[in-house]
Amino acid sequence: MRVKGIGRREFLKGAAVAGAGLALPGLAFSQGAKIKIGLMLPYTGTFAPLGVAIENGFRLALQEAGGRFGGREIEFFKVDDESEPSKATDNVNRLVTRDKVDVVIGTVHSGVAAAMIRVTRESGTLHLIPNAGVGVATGPLCAPNIIRTSFSNWQNGYAMGAVMSQRKNVKNVVTITWRYAAGEEFVKGFKDGYLKGGGSIAKELWVPFPNVEFQSLLTEIAAQKPDAVYAFFAGGGAAKFLRDYAQAGLKDKIPLVGPGFLTDGVLEAVGGAAQGVETALHYADALNTKRDNEFRLAYAKAFKLQPDVYAVQGYDTGLLLAAGLKAVNGDVSRKKDLVGAMEKVTVDSPRGKWRLSKAHNPVQDIYLRKVVGVDNKYTGVAVRGLDDDPASMGACKMGA
């Protein structure tokens, strides 16, 4: 028998000492109870593929760490959040109160995440957000135990707006998105980045979530004749919108742009409907860095799938948690030290290196991409080292 870094003789000696009422540093935790991790993600509905990709990415990080974080095994508790905000409080309480998990990981839908935060903020349970970009997480509801490993909705919206503001032939834009927290924040970010260049918003069009009937609004877009359309949808909704936009004859007439979620994970499903669409996101296919190439190969081998941004976010959640737990030798009860360690980490991610802001949102590069074939091809950096919405961060009182 051999424990990493400890020979058999040393291990037996240590066991004898522990039996006498003493413990070697870190040994009790590495040989003790498992760390309980609650995965609250969408496993059914339009966002189901996103939830699966996030879990896959996290499990890959765990696999690369030898199946342990901080020397301790992991036990998973899973809840399907169904992307339903009305069920969020009960669902997260199942993990926090019933299962007594050490860490909650979730979720995709911003409305669900906002409800989760209210519970985990009160309980003090470490909560890692692997996707939902809802502003309150790093704004009014920020807390030391709430950490986002993905993005804020504002960030990717702002970056696309900043790019469009520099294009002289784009003077007016129509926006279209689902009417819920994420959609509203993506549009706000776009407007913050775009309007400063002197452009104007011709019209804001809204769709009830998760409705995917777009025809009447596409007719309205055709009548408006804007210079471009900025759209946010994700998952199955994005696939349907891209197909409908092309079938309405708008694809070759009015340029379509958006945050990267408009095209991520759906390109094989939509065929040629998305060709040429430009998006801004904190990840791009074919970044062609050594780190990204290694990750993509490992993910493909493990899951027989190509990774997307959701897989990267799940993976990065695992990397950040692993770094924090390593610093405290797996002792999750040392929450202040655990969080402090994560605050100091620069994550060496497939998307590029990033760190946490004071409000616990990633500070990261946002890339400009263009759909070519079945890839969101990297075409440049939209904004470097972008932090969160200043208005949102101003409302964050981390000590509250």
Side-chain angles (χ1 to χ4, degrees):
M1 179 179 184
R2 183 168 185 84
V3 177
K4 187 176 181 181
I6 304 176
R8 182 176 183 275
R9 183 176 298 173
E10 291 84 354
F11 176 79
L12 292 174
K13 182 179 178 181
V17 172
L22 301 173
L24 294 177
L27 188 60
F29 292 111
S30 64
Q31 300 300 315
K34 297 177 181 178
I35 295 174
K36 296 183 177 181
I37 292 181
L39 297 174
M40 184 165 156
L41 295 165
Y43 293 110
T44 55
T46 191
F47 286 163
L50 285 53
V52 171
I54 289 168
E55 180 178 341
N56 285 349
F58 186 88
R59 287 183 180 273
L60 179 60
L62 178 60
Q63 176 184 311
E64 291 180 351
R68 294 170 180 258
F69 285 160
R72 295 177 64 184
E73 292 183 22
I74 303 300
E75 182 177 8
F76 288 102
F77 296 78
K78 293 173 62 171
V79 171
D80 179 6
D81 69 30
E82 304 175 55
S83 298
E84 179 49 67
S86 67
K87 298 180 180 180
T89 300
D90 287 343
N91 280 335
V92 73
N93 271 320
R94 285 171 57 190
L95 295 172
V96 171
T97 306
R98 185 193 67 182
D99 299 325
K100 301 186 185 307
V101 299
D102 300 302
V103 184
V104 170
I105 296 175
T107 188
V108 171
H109 187 293
S110 284
V112 177
M116 292 177 69
I117 290 166
R118 288 176 169 84
V119 173
T120 54
R121 192 172 188 264
E122 180 68 24
S123 69
T125 307
L126 181 61
H127 181 181
L128 304 181
I129 303 172
N131 186 77
V134 62
V136 295
T138 48
L141 294 183
C142 75
N145 62 303
I146 309 296
I147 295 175
R148 178 153 51 207
T149 59
S150 50
F151 63 96
S152 73
N153 296 328
W154 182 90
Q155 279 179 308
N156 290 304
Y158 177 87
M160 194 71 243
V163 168
M164 298 302 283
S165 74
Q166 298 170 18
R167 296 187 176 173
K168 296 179 180 179
N169 61 334
V170 180
K171 298 299 183 185
N172 67 91
V173 174
V174 166
T175 66
I176 180 170
T177 183
W178 280 314
R179 171 74 86 175
Y180 76 124
E184 293 171 359
E185 291 172 359
F186 273 117
V187 168
K188 179 188 184 299
F190 177 80
K191 289 165 65 177
D192 286 351
Y194 173 65
L195 295 180
K196 66 181 182 181
S200 64
I201 303 298
K203 195 155 192 175
E204 295 180 14
L205 301 176
W206 302 95
V207 183
F209 181 86
N211 193 312
V212 291
E213 298 303 319
F214 305 117
Q215 196 55 53
S216 64
L217 297 178
L218 293 173
T219 300
E220 193 165 350
I221 289 172
Q224 286 283 338
K225 297 181 180 178
D227 295 326
V229 170
Y230 172 81
F232 162 66
F233 298 100
K240 175 73 160 47
F241 179 80
L242 289 165
R243 286 193 296 263
D244 287 359
Y245 194 85
Q247 290 170 5
L250 299 175
K251 176 178 174 294
D252 298 322
K253 295 179 180 178
I254 305 172
L256 179 62
V257 302
F261 305 105
L262 181 64
T263 57
D264 248 75
V266 301
L267 294 181
E268 292 187 5
V270 301
Q275 295 305 299
V277 173
E278 289 186 287
T279 58
L281 200 67
H282 50 286
Y283 184 61
D285 297 329
L287 280 175
N288 202 30
T289 62
K290 183 175 183 292
R291 182 73 178 95
D292 187 42
N293 291 341
E294 290 172 348
F295 163 75
R296 296 185 72 83
L297 179 61
Y299 188 94
K301 283 184 176 180
F303 304 106
K304 308 299 185 274
L305 294 167
Q306 288 301 312
D308 55 19
V309 67
Y310 306 105
V312 171
Q313 291 168 175
Y315 182 71
D316 284 3
T317 301
L319 294 182
L320 184 65
L321 181 59
L325 287 170
K326 180 180 180 181
V328 296
N329 294 317
D331 187 353
V332 287
S333 69
R334 293 170 56 191
K335 290 182 182 178
K336 185 175 181 180
D337 294 334
L338 173 58
V339 170
M342 290 192 284
E343 289 174 335
K344 296 174 183 176
V345 170
T346 295
V347 178
D348 186 14
S349 165
R351 69 177 108 161
K353 293 182 179 181
W354 61 270
R355 61 177 176 81
L356 289 174
S357 71
K358 291 181 179 179
H360 288 176
N361 191 74
V363 178
Q364 58 194 333
D365 292 345
I366 309 297
Y367 305 109
L368 184 63
R369 308 110 49 85
K370 186 174 184 177
V371 176
V372 179
V374 293
D375 290 324
N376 289 288
K377 290 288 187 182
Y378 165 81
T379 60
V381 178
V383 182
R384 290 193 182 277
L386 186 61
D387 207 330
D388 200 0
D389 181 4
S392 177
M393 291 191 300
C396 173
K397 309 299 180 187
M398 190 60 79

